[in-house]
Amino acid sequence: MTSAPLSDRDILLALFDAGLAAALPEGKFKDRLPAPPKGRTIVIGAGKASARMARAFEAEWGRPCEGLIVTRYGHGCDTRHIEIVEASHPVPDQAGLDAARRIMELAKGAGPDDLVVCLMSGGASSLLTMPADGLTLADKQALNTALLKSGAPIGVMNQVRKSLSGIKGGRLAAAIAPARAVTYLISDVPGDDPAAIGSGPTIPEASDPEQVLGLMRKWGIEVTDKLERVIRSNIVPGDAIPGQEVHMIATPLMALKAAEAKARELGITPLILGDAIEGEAREAAIVFAGIATCAASHGLPAAAPCVLLSGGETTVTVRGKGRGGRSVEFLLALAIALKGRPGISAVSCDTDGVDGSEDNAGAWFDSRILEEAATRGLKPADFLANNDGYSFFSALDRLVVTGPTLTNVNDFRAILVR
């Protein structure tokens, strides 16, 4: 008796599940643990994956430890020794500010015989908020909101955030010294630059005020006299911290490689197009539609059945008032560009389980999507113009809902060509 062939949806979600499993922190600390200290082991950190990282670290460490982790609301988990607090993301709140101050105090209180373990992942930029001298929490909230609406890439956002922070850009590492510091990272940034993950609280990086001010003006972020004054005075020298270790335990490419292996297991040729795709989500979708069409028509860059895999972090310049994140924005634009071409389906999800600020990780579609939309009187172009991909895919029962995954290696996209 033979089993029924898998549907497009089954295949796409199996690939996403495989990628997600590879991005979890469990087992990633093995053979990467530092020597036990003479003094205390203090664990601090922030990010959407940081609570699960703390639990995985405790399981591998097997010794007493203490500390504090701040993660997004709803992204906490049970730990034995390390305190977990939750705060707002992507716009910071008072809970995040209070946690950042406590974490800085723990860092400053570490002595030369102590070990400070830092667990950082995407989202730490908002969660670990400590305005530089001269700024208030309200100033940081307004800035974050403006950055999120600007369409600026994550690298630009992080540079601006660092320049206005009292804890990012290596300032936390400076507070830890002379204690020994070990940083573990889950990457959510194109290129896996340690200094960019969570705006690099433990990774010193020299700041350039003129460059930051130029980027703000380029992306339409208002440069008030107060912001300019703080940016020019809040300089980071970028000097390395002696004895610090940095380990990358999960990356976007690891997730794509796991999906690649799963595709081969299913008898589908995989092709990884890149783990660092950036730019406007709707514009990237047009490019990917062209590649998928070429694969379907000419067998290039891979012959069907194949799957085109990619990761990275696209952006959305918000013009409308709809419900949507970058994953559903990409997917809706892709469906429109493909024009219902038979044999092509796709999934796009954020690996943290939250696309933008909604309750879905992303969505999926098959070649019938435009036909089904038409029968229900839905006009895809109108939804795209209003940045309302969530409502479009929700109406057609195509959302992917995982709940918080407690990891974060950014976007996962798979385009299946039958």
Side-chain angles (χ1 to χ4, degrees), residues 118-170:
C118 306
L119 307 176
M120 297 292 170
S121 66
S125 289
S126 300
L127 294 162
L128 200 63
T129 187
M130 182 179 288
D133 290 343
L135 294 180
T136 65
L137 175 59
D139 293 328
K140 292 297 292 287
Q141 290 171 329
L143 177 71
N144 261 35
T145 299
L147 285 169
L148 292 167
K149 290 183 176 180
S150 71
I154 187 63
V156 169
M157 289 196 279
N158 283 342
Q159 279 187 269
V160 175
R161 287 164 172 163
K162 286 182 192 182
S163 67
L164 295 165
S165 176
I167 196 168
K168 303 180 183 74

mmCIF file of all heavy atoms in Angstrom, residues 118-170:
data_model
loop_
_atom_site.group_PDB
_atom_site.id
_atom_site.type_symbol
_atom_site.label_atom_id
_atom_site.label_comp_id
_atom_site.label_asym_id
_atom_site.label_seq_id
_atom_site.Cartn_x
_atom_site.Cartn_y
_atom_site.Cartn_z
ATOM 1 N N CYS A 118 26.765 35.782 28.384
ATOM 2 C CA CYS A 118 25.825 36.695 27.729
ATOM 3 C C CYS A 118 25.102 35.956 26.607
ATOM 4 O O CYS A 118 25.752 35.402 25.710
ATOM 5 C CB CYS A 118 26.563 37.907 27.161
ATOM 6 S SG CYS A 118 27.570 38.776 28.376
ATOM 7 N N LEU A 119 23.781 35.939 26.665
ATOM 8 C CA LEU A 119 22.958 35.232 25.682
ATOM 9 C C LEU A 119 22.181 36.274 24.887
ATOM 10 O O LEU A 119 21.280 36.920 25.428
ATOM 11 C CB LEU A 119 22.007 34.270 26.388
ATOM 12 C CG LEU A 119 22.656 33.283 27.370
ATOM 13 C CD1 LEU A 119 21.570 32.451 28.059
ATOM 14 C CD2 LEU A 119 23.658 32.384 26.660
ATOM 15 N N MET A 120 22.519 36.442 23.621
ATOM 16 C CA MET A 120 21.927 37.496 22.815
ATOM 17 C C MET A 120 21.318 36.939 21.530
ATOM 18 O O MET A 120 21.901 36.062 20.880
ATOM 19 C CB MET A 120 22.985 38.549 22.444
ATOM 20 C CG MET A 120 23.569 39.280 23.626
ATOM 21 S SD MET A 120 22.367 40.355 24.449
ATOM 22 C CE MET A 120 23.289 40.803 25.926
ATOM 23 N N SER A 121 20.163 37.492 21.174
ATOM 24 C CA SER A 121 19.520 37.108 19.921
ATOM 25 C C SER A 121 18.767 38.313 19.377
ATOM 26 O O SER A 121 18.711 39.364 20.010
ATOM 27 C CB SER A 121 18.559 35.934 20.133
ATOM 28 O OG SER A 121 17.467 36.331 20.953
ATOM 29 N N GLY A 122 18.188 38.156 18.204
ATOM 30 C CA GLY A 122 17.426 39.228 17.597
ATOM 31 C C GLY A 122 16.319 39.710 18.514
ATOM 32 O O GLY A 122 15.690 38.924 19.214
ATOM 33 N N GLY A 123 16.081 41.005 18.510
ATOM 34 C CA GLY A 123 15.094 41.599 19.387
ATOM 35 C C GLY A 123 15.711 42.303 20.571
ATOM 36 O O GLY A 123 15.059 43.115 21.237
ATOM 37 N N ALA A 124 17.006 42.009 20.840
ATOM 38 C CA ALA A 124 17.667 42.632 21.982
ATOM 39 C C ALA A 124 17.770 44.147 21.822
ATOM 40 O O ALA A 124 17.808 44.876 22.820
ATOM 41 C CB ALA A 124 19.051 42.031 22.184
ATOM 42 N N SER A 125 17.794 44.643 20.602
ATOM 43 C CA SER A 125 17.895 46.087 20.391
ATOM 44 C C SER A 125 16.737 46.828 21.045
ATOM 45 O O SER A 125 16.919 47.901 21.616
ATOM 46 C CB SER A 125 17.911 46.407 18.894
ATOM 47 O OG SER A 125 19.120 46.006 18.312
ATOM 48 N N SER A 126 15.539 46.268 20.956
ATOM 49 C CA SER A 126 14.374 46.909 21.567
ATOM 50 C C SER A 126 14.206 46.511 23.028
ATOM 51 O O SER A 126 13.808 47.327 23.861
ATOM 52 C CB SER A 126 13.107 46.532 20.794
ATOM 53 O OG SER A 126 13.192 46.951 19.460
ATOM 54 N N LEU A 127 14.498 45.267 23.334
ATOM 55 C CA LEU A 127 14.247 44.757 24.681
ATOM 56 C C LEU A 127 15.254 45.258 25.697
ATOM 57 O O LEU A 127 14.922 45.467 26.861
ATOM 58 C CB LEU A 127 14.256 43.224 24.650
ATOM 59 C CG LEU A 127 13.122 42.589 23.844
ATOM 60 C CD1 LEU A 127 13.441 41.141 23.505
ATOM 61 C CD2 LEU A 127 11.806 42.673 24.620
ATOM 62 N N LEU A 128 16.494 45.441 25.252
ATOM 63 C CA LEU A 128 17.555 45.891 26.159
ATOM 64 C C LEU A 128 17.739 47.390 25.934
ATOM 65 O O LEU A 128 18.712 47.836 25.333
ATOM 66 C CB LEU A 128 18.846 45.124 25.859
ATOM 67 C CG LEU A 128 19.913 45.084 26.951
ATOM 68 C CD1 LEU A 128 19.381 44.373 28.194
ATOM 69 C CD2 LEU A 128 21.154 44.387 26.448
ATOM 70 N N THR A 129 16.778 48.158 26.404
ATOM 71 C CA THR A 129 16.778 49.587 26.112
ATOM 72 C C THR A 129 17.291 50.386 27.295
ATOM 73 O O THR A 129 16.817 50.236 28.424
ATOM 74 C CB THR A 129 15.371 50.064 25.700
ATOM 75 O OG1 THR A 129 15.433 51.408 25.280
ATOM 76 C CG2 THR A 129 14.369 49.935 26.846
ATOM 77 N N MET A 130 18.311 51.188 27.033
ATOM 78 C CA MET A 130 18.859 52.092 28.045
ATOM 79 C C MET A 130 19.302 53.359 27.329
ATOM 80 O O MET A 130 20.385 53.408 26.753
ATOM 81 C CB MET A 130 20.037 51.455 28.791
ATOM 82 C CG MET A 130 20.613 52.359 29.889
ATOM 83 S SD MET A 130 21.990 51.590 30.769
ATOM 84 C CE MET A 130 21.113 50.366 31.726
ATOM 85 N N PRO A 131 18.451 54.372 27.323
ATOM 86 C CA PRO A 131 18.783 55.594 26.585
ATOM 87 C C PRO A 131 20.093 56.211 27.061
ATOM 88 O O PRO A 131 20.420 56.197 28.252
ATOM 89 C CB PRO A 131 17.598 56.520 26.896
ATOM 90 C CG PRO A 131 16.486 55.605 27.298
ATOM 91 C CD PRO A 131 17.142 54.465 27.990
ATOM 92 N N ALA A 132 20.855 56.740 26.105
ATOM 93 C CA ALA A 132 22.082 57.458 26.458
ATOM 94 C C ALA A 132 21.733 58.692 27.280
ATOM 95 O O ALA A 132 20.592 59.171 27.274
ATOM 96 C CB ALA A 132 22.821 57.857 25.183
ATOM 97 N N ASP A 133 22.725 59.208 27.986
ATOM 98 C CA ASP A 133 22.512 60.406 28.797
ATOM 99 C C ASP A 133 21.919 61.515 27.932
ATOM 100 O O ASP A 133 22.417 61.797 26.831
ATOM 101 C CB ASP A 133 23.834 60.877 29.405
ATOM 102 C CG ASP A 133 24.346 59.933 30.481
ATOM 103 O OD1 ASP A 133 23.545 59.112 30.973
ATOM 104 O OD2 ASP A 133 25.544 60.009 30.821
ATOM 105 N N GLY A 134 20.862 62.133 28.434
ATOM 106 C CA GLY A 134 20.214 63.208 27.694
ATOM 107 C C GLY A 134 18.957 62.787 26.985
ATOM 108 O O GLY A 134 18.235 63.635 26.440
ATOM 109 N N LEU A 135 18.669 61.459 26.970
ATOM 110 C CA LEU A 135 17.470 60.955 26.310
ATOM 111 C C LEU A 135 16.538 60.299 27.320
ATOM 112 O O LEU A 135 16.974 59.830 28.382
ATOM 113 C CB LEU A 135 17.834 59.926 25.226
ATOM 114 C CG LEU A 135 18.613 60.411 24.006
ATOM 115 C CD1 LEU A 135 18.857 59.249 23.066
ATOM 116 C CD2 LEU A 135 17.865 61.527 23.295
ATOM 117 N N THR A 136 15.263 60.226 26.972
ATOM 118 C CA THR A 136 14.264 59.566 27.798
ATOM 119 C C THR A 136 13.745 58.324 27.086
ATOM 120 O O THR A 136 14.005 58.121 25.885
ATOM 121 C CB THR A 136 13.080 60.499 28.077
ATOM 122 O OG1 THR A 136 12.408 60.770 26.824
ATOM 123 C CG2 THR A 136 13.550 61.807 28.694
ATOM 124 N N LEU A 137 12.998 57.510 27.816
ATOM 125 C CA LEU A 137 12.370 56.343 27.204
ATOM 126 C C LEU A 137 11.424 56.781 26.084
ATOM 127 O O LEU A 137 11.359 56.135 25.033
ATOM 128 C CB LEU A 137 11.604 55.547 28.261
ATOM 129 C CG LEU A 137 10.793 54.351 27.746
ATOM 130 C CD1 LEU A 137 11.681 53.338 27.038
ATOM 131 C CD2 LEU A 137 10.027 53.699 28.892
ATOM 132 N N ALA A 138 10.707 57.876 26.286
ATOM 133 C CA ALA A 138 9.797 58.373 25.247
ATOM 134 C C ALA A 138 10.557 58.715 23.972
ATOM 135 O O ALA A 138 10.065 58.479 22.859
ATOM 136 C CB ALA A 138 9.032 59.590 25.756
ATOM 137 N N ASP A 139 11.757 59.269 24.118
ATOM 138 C CA ASP A 139 12.584 59.579 22.944
ATOM 139 C C ASP A 139 12.920 58.295 22.183
ATOM 140 O O ASP A 139 12.847 58.254 20.948
ATOM 141 C CB ASP A 139 13.889 60.266 23.367
ATOM 142 C CG ASP A 139 13.659 61.653 23.943
ATOM 143 O OD1 ASP A 139 12.704 62.322 23.511
ATOM 144 O OD2 ASP A 139 14.444 62.057 24.827
ATOM 145 N N LYS A 140 13.299 57.248 22.928
ATOM 146 C CA LYS A 140 13.661 55.987 22.280
ATOM 147 C C LYS A 140 12.447 55.337 21.627
ATOM 148 O O LYS A 140 12.545 54.726 20.558
ATOM 149 C CB LYS A 140 14.298 55.025 23.301
ATOM 150 C CG LYS A 140 15.662 55.458 23.822
ATOM 151 C CD LYS A 140 16.713 55.536 22.721
ATOM 152 C CE LYS A 140 17.080 54.198 22.139
ATOM 153 N NZ LYS A 140 17.897 53.364 23.028
ATOM 154 N N GLN A 141 11.292 55.430 22.268
ATOM 155 C CA GLN A 141 10.081 54.858 21.699
ATOM 156 C C GLN A 141 9.722 55.532 20.383
ATOM 157 O O GLN A 141 9.379 54.872 19.393
ATOM 158 C CB GLN A 141 8.926 54.995 22.701
ATOM 159 C CG GLN A 141 9.057 54.097 23.914
ATOM 160 C CD GLN A 141 8.031 54.400 24.985
ATOM 161 O OE1 GLN A 141 7.609 55.541 25.145
ATOM 162 N NE2 GLN A 141 7.628 53.375 25.741
ATOM 163 N N ALA A 142 9.809 56.864 20.361
ATOM 164 C CA ALA A 142 9.504 57.606 19.133
ATOM 165 C C ALA A 142 10.489 57.257 18.030
ATOM 166 O O ALA A 142 10.110 57.090 16.861
ATOM 167 C CB ALA A 142 9.524 59.103 19.416
ATOM 168 N N LEU A 143 11.757 57.126 18.387
ATOM 169 C CA LEU A 143 12.774 56.782 17.394
ATOM 170 C C LEU A 143 12.536 55.390 16.818
ATOM 171 O O LEU A 143 12.601 55.187 15.600
ATOM 172 C CB LEU A 143 14.163 56.849 18.028
ATOM 173 C CG LEU A 143 15.314 56.429 17.112
ATOM 174 C CD1 LEU A 143 15.539 57.463 16.033
ATOM 175 C CD2 LEU A 143 16.593 56.202 17.913
ATOM 176 N N ASN A 144 12.255 54.407 17.684
ATOM 177 C CA ASN A 144 12.016 53.046 17.208
ATOM 178 C C ASN A 144 10.819 52.980 16.273
ATOM 179 O O ASN A 144 10.837 52.285 15.255
ATOM 180 C CB ASN A 144 11.807 52.101 18.391
ATOM 181 C CG ASN A 144 13.061 51.329 18.736
ATOM 182 O OD1 ASN A 144 14.159 51.854 18.613
ATOM 183 N ND2 ASN A 144 12.912 50.088 19.163
ATOM 184 N N THR A 145 9.764 53.693 16.620
ATOM 185 C CA THR A 145 8.578 53.717 15.767
ATOM 186 C C THR A 145 8.906 54.301 14.399
ATOM 187 O O THR A 145 8.493 53.763 13.365
ATOM 188 C CB THR A 145 7.460 54.536 16.430
ATOM 189 O OG1 THR A 145 7.121 53.918 17.688
ATOM 190 C CG2 THR A 145 6.221 54.576 15.559
ATOM 191 N N ALA A 146 9.666 55.392 14.383
ATOM 192 C CA ALA A 146 10.060 56.013 13.116
ATOM 193 C C ALA A 146 10.941 55.088 12.291
ATOM 194 O O ALA A 146 10.791 54.985 11.062
ATOM 195 C CB ALA A 146 10.775 57.328 13.388
ATOM 196 N N LEU A 147 11.864 54.396 12.941
ATOM 197 C CA LEU A 147 12.736 53.465 12.226
ATOM 198 C C LEU A 147 11.936 52.335 11.596
ATOM 199 O O LEU A 147 12.170 51.958 10.443
ATOM 200 C CB LEU A 147 13.781 52.888 13.184
ATOM 201 C CG LEU A 147 14.940 53.805 13.592
ATOM 202 C CD1 LEU A 147 15.725 53.197 14.744
ATOM 203 C CD2 LEU A 147 15.864 54.070 12.402
ATOM 204 N N LEU A 148 10.987 51.789 12.332
ATOM 205 C CA LEU A 148 10.203 50.657 11.837
ATOM 206 C C LEU A 148 9.343 51.042 10.644
ATOM 207 O O LEU A 148 9.098 50.212 9.756
ATOM 208 C CB LEU A 148 9.322 50.103 12.959
ATOM 209 C CG LEU A 148 10.068 49.414 14.108
ATOM 210 C CD1 LEU A 148 9.151 49.206 15.288
ATOM 211 C CD2 LEU A 148 10.654 48.089 13.647
ATOM 212 N N LYS A 149 8.903 52.277 10.574
ATOM 213 C CA LYS A 149 8.065 52.723 9.460
ATOM 214 C C LYS A 149 8.868 53.215 8.268
ATOM 215 O O LYS A 149 8.321 53.399 7.181
ATOM 216 C CB LYS A 149 7.126 53.841 9.930
ATOM 217 C CG LYS A 149 6.040 53.380 10.884
ATOM 218 C CD LYS A 149 5.101 54.523 11.240
ATOM 219 C CE LYS A 149 3.961 54.047 12.127
ATOM 220 N NZ LYS A 149 3.034 55.160 12.472
ATOM 221 N N SER A 150 10.167 53.423 8.464
ATOM 222 C CA SER A 150 10.989 54.059 7.427
ATOM 223 C C SER A 150 11.338 53.140 6.267
ATOM 224 O O SER A 150 11.642 53.604 5.172
ATOM 225 C CB SER A 150 12.288 54.571 8.051
ATOM 226 O OG SER A 150 13.141 53.493 8.413
ATOM 227 N N GLY A 151 11.324 51.803 6.507
ATOM 228 C CA GLY A 151 11.781 50.868 5.494
ATOM 229 C C GLY A 151 13.285 50.669 5.496
ATOM 230 O O GLY A 151 13.831 49.976 4.636
ATOM 231 N N ALA A 152 13.975 51.262 6.468
ATOM 232 C CA ALA A 152 15.426 51.122 6.552
ATOM 233 C C ALA A 152 15.810 49.678 6.859
ATOM 234 O O ALA A 152 15.123 49.006 7.626
ATOM 235 C CB ALA A 152 15.978 52.039 7.641
ATOM 236 N N PRO A 153 16.912 49.180 6.271
ATOM 237 C CA PRO A 153 17.361 47.814 6.586
ATOM 238 C C PRO A 153 17.818 47.706 8.028
ATOM 239 O O PRO A 153 18.148 48.708 8.676
ATOM 240 C CB PRO A 153 18.523 47.589 5.604
ATOM 241 C CG PRO A 153 18.969 48.946 5.199
ATOM 242 C CD PRO A 153 17.767 49.834 5.271
ATOM 243 N N ILE A 154 17.865 46.475 8.520
ATOM 244 C CA ILE A 154 18.171 46.243 9.926
ATOM 245 C C ILE A 154 19.536 46.794 10.305
ATOM 246 O O ILE A 154 19.738 47.289 11.416
ATOM 247 C CB ILE A 154 18.070 44.721 10.260
ATOM 248 C CG1 ILE A 154 18.227 44.485 11.773
ATOM 249 C CG2 ILE A 154 19.079 43.927 9.469
ATOM 250 C CD1 ILE A 154 17.153 45.100 12.609
ATOM 251 N N GLY A 155 20.506 46.746 9.399
ATOM 252 C CA GLY A 155 21.831 47.270 9.699
ATOM 253 C C GLY A 155 21.808 48.756 10.001
ATOM 254 O O GLY A 155 22.506 49.235 10.908
ATOM 255 N N VAL A 156 21.008 49.493 9.252
ATOM 256 C CA VAL A 156 20.870 50.933 9.486
ATOM 257 C C VAL A 156 20.193 51.182 10.836
ATOM 258 O O VAL A 156 20.631 52.027 11.626
ATOM 259 C CB VAL A 156 20.074 51.593 8.342
ATOM 260 C CG1 VAL A 156 19.705 53.031 8.705
ATOM 261 C CG2 VAL A 156 20.873 51.560 7.052
ATOM 262 N N MET A 157 19.111 50.452 11.092
ATOM 263 C CA MET A 157 18.403 50.624 12.354
ATOM 264 C C MET A 157 19.320 50.379 13.543
ATOM 265 O O MET A 157 19.299 51.126 14.532
ATOM 266 C CB MET A 157 17.185 49.699 12.411
ATOM 267 C CG MET A 157 16.061 50.120 11.486
ATOM 268 S SD MET A 157 14.470 49.342 11.856
ATOM 269 C CE MET A 157 14.696 47.769 11.049
ATOM 270 N N ASN A 158 20.152 49.342 13.441
ATOM 271 C CA ASN A 158 21.033 49.023 14.556
ATOM 272 C C ASN A 158 22.111 50.083 14.766
ATOM 273 O O ASN A 158 22.493 50.377 15.899
ATOM 274 C CB ASN A 158 21.667 47.650 14.354
ATOM 275 C CG ASN A 158 20.712 46.518 14.669
ATOM 276 O OD1 ASN A 158 19.699 46.716 15.345
ATOM 277 N ND2 ASN A 158 21.005 45.334 14.186
ATOM 278 N N GLN A 159 22.628 50.654 13.678
ATOM 279 C CA GLN A 159 23.619 51.714 13.828
ATOM 280 C C GLN A 159 23.043 52.919 14.554
ATOM 281 O O GLN A 159 23.694 53.511 15.416
ATOM 282 C CB GLN A 159 24.136 52.142 12.446
ATOM 283 C CG GLN A 159 25.204 51.225 11.870
ATOM 284 C CD GLN A 159 25.793 51.788 10.604
ATOM 285 O OE1 GLN A 159 25.324 51.506 9.500
ATOM 286 N NE2 GLN A 159 26.816 52.579 10.743
ATOM 287 N N VAL A 160 21.826 53.279 14.205
ATOM 288 C CA VAL A 160 21.179 54.408 14.862
ATOM 289 C C VAL A 160 20.912 54.086 16.332
ATOM 290 O O VAL A 160 21.174 54.907 17.228
ATOM 291 C CB VAL A 160 19.867 54.777 14.140
ATOM 292 C CG1 VAL A 160 19.129 55.881 14.895
ATOM 293 C CG2 VAL A 160 20.159 55.231 12.710
ATOM 294 N N ARG A 161 20.408 52.892 16.605
ATOM 295 C CA ARG A 161 20.108 52.508 17.980
ATOM 296 C C ARG A 161 21.359 52.529 18.853
ATOM 297 O O ARG A 161 21.336 52.991 20.002
ATOM 298 C CB ARG A 161 19.481 51.118 18.003
ATOM 299 C CG ARG A 161 18.042 51.075 17.493
ATOM 300 C CD ARG A 161 17.639 49.654 17.195
ATOM 301 N NE ARG A 161 16.217 49.524 16.881
ATOM 302 C CZ ARG A 161 15.688 48.470 16.284
ATOM 303 N NH1 ARG A 161 16.453 47.444 15.939
ATOM 304 N NH2 ARG A 161 14.393 48.419 16.034
ATOM 305 N N LYS A 162 22.474 52.003 18.320
ATOM 306 C CA LYS A 162 23.719 51.982 19.091
ATOM 307 C C LYS A 162 24.158 53.382 19.491
ATOM 308 O O LYS A 162 24.623 53.619 20.612
ATOM 309 C CB LYS A 162 24.836 51.341 18.261
ATOM 310 C CG LYS A 162 24.763 49.857 18.107
ATOM 311 C CD LYS A 162 25.964 49.400 17.310
ATOM 312 C CE LYS A 162 25.815 47.956 16.871
ATOM 313 N NZ LYS A 162 26.997 47.489 16.128
ATOM 314 N N SER A 163 24.047 54.299 18.547
ATOM 315 C CA SER A 163 24.558 55.645 18.781
ATOM 316 C C SER A 163 23.768 56.402 19.844
ATOM 317 O O SER A 163 24.237 57.415 20.364
ATOM 318 C CB SER A 163 24.553 56.444 17.475
ATOM 319 O OG SER A 163 23.230 56.679 17.037
ATOM 320 N N LEU A 164 22.578 55.907 20.175
ATOM 321 C CA LEU A 164 21.719 56.581 21.151
ATOM 322 C C LEU A 164 21.501 55.734 22.405
ATOM 323 O O LEU A 164 20.589 55.978 23.175
ATOM 324 C CB LEU A 164 20.368 56.911 20.502
ATOM 325 C CG LEU A 164 20.446 57.926 19.346
ATOM 326 C CD1 LEU A 164 19.170 57.923 18.537
ATOM 327 C CD2 LEU A 164 20.747 59.312 19.888
ATOM 328 N N SER A 165 22.351 54.726 22.592
ATOM 329 C CA SER A 165 22.180 53.776 23.688
ATOM 330 C C SER A 165 23.266 53.898 24.735
ATOM 331 O O SER A 165 24.416 54.252 24.442
ATOM 332 C CB SER A 165 22.185 52.339 23.131
ATOM 333 O OG SER A 165 22.114 51.398 24.187
ATOM 334 N N GLY A 166 22.893 53.557 25.958
ATOM 335 C CA GLY A 166 23.863 53.498 27.042
ATOM 336 C C GLY A 166 24.330 52.088 27.341
ATOM 337 O O GLY A 166 25.121 51.877 28.270
ATOM 338 N N ILE A 167 23.871 51.086 26.538
ATOM 339 C CA ILE A 167 24.225 49.694 26.825
ATOM 340 C C ILE A 167 24.674 48.919 25.583
ATOM 341 O O ILE A 167 25.405 47.940 25.689
ATOM 342 C CB ILE A 167 23.026 48.976 27.499
ATOM 343 C CG1 ILE A 167 23.453 47.662 28.157
ATOM 344 C CG2 ILE A 167 21.885 48.766 26.509
ATOM 345 C CD1 ILE A 167 22.397 47.066 29.065
ATOM 346 N N LYS A 168 24.262 49.354 24.404
ATOM 347 C CA LYS A 168 24.597 48.637 23.170
ATOM 348 C C LYS A 168 25.969 49.063 22.640
ATOM 349 O O LYS A 168 26.636 49.915 23.206
ATOM 350 C CB LYS A 168 23.515 48.875 22.115
ATOM 351 C CG LYS A 168 22.117 48.469 22.562
ATOM 352 C CD LYS A 168 21.102 48.719 21.480
ATOM 353 C CE LYS A 168 19.696 48.385 21.926
ATOM 354 N NZ LYS A 168 19.137 49.375 22.856
ATOM 355 N N GLY A 169 26.384 48.446 21.530
ATOM 356 C CA GLY A 169 27.645 48.812 20.903
ATOM 357 C C GLY A 169 28.866 48.518 21.750
ATOM 358 O O GLY A 169 29.880 49.211 21.665
ATOM 359 N N GLY A 170 28.796 47.487 22.584
ATOM 360 C CA GLY A 170 29.933 47.102 23.408
ATOM 361 C C GLY A 170 29.951 47.715 24.797
ATOM 362 O O GLY A 170 30.830 47.404 25.606
#
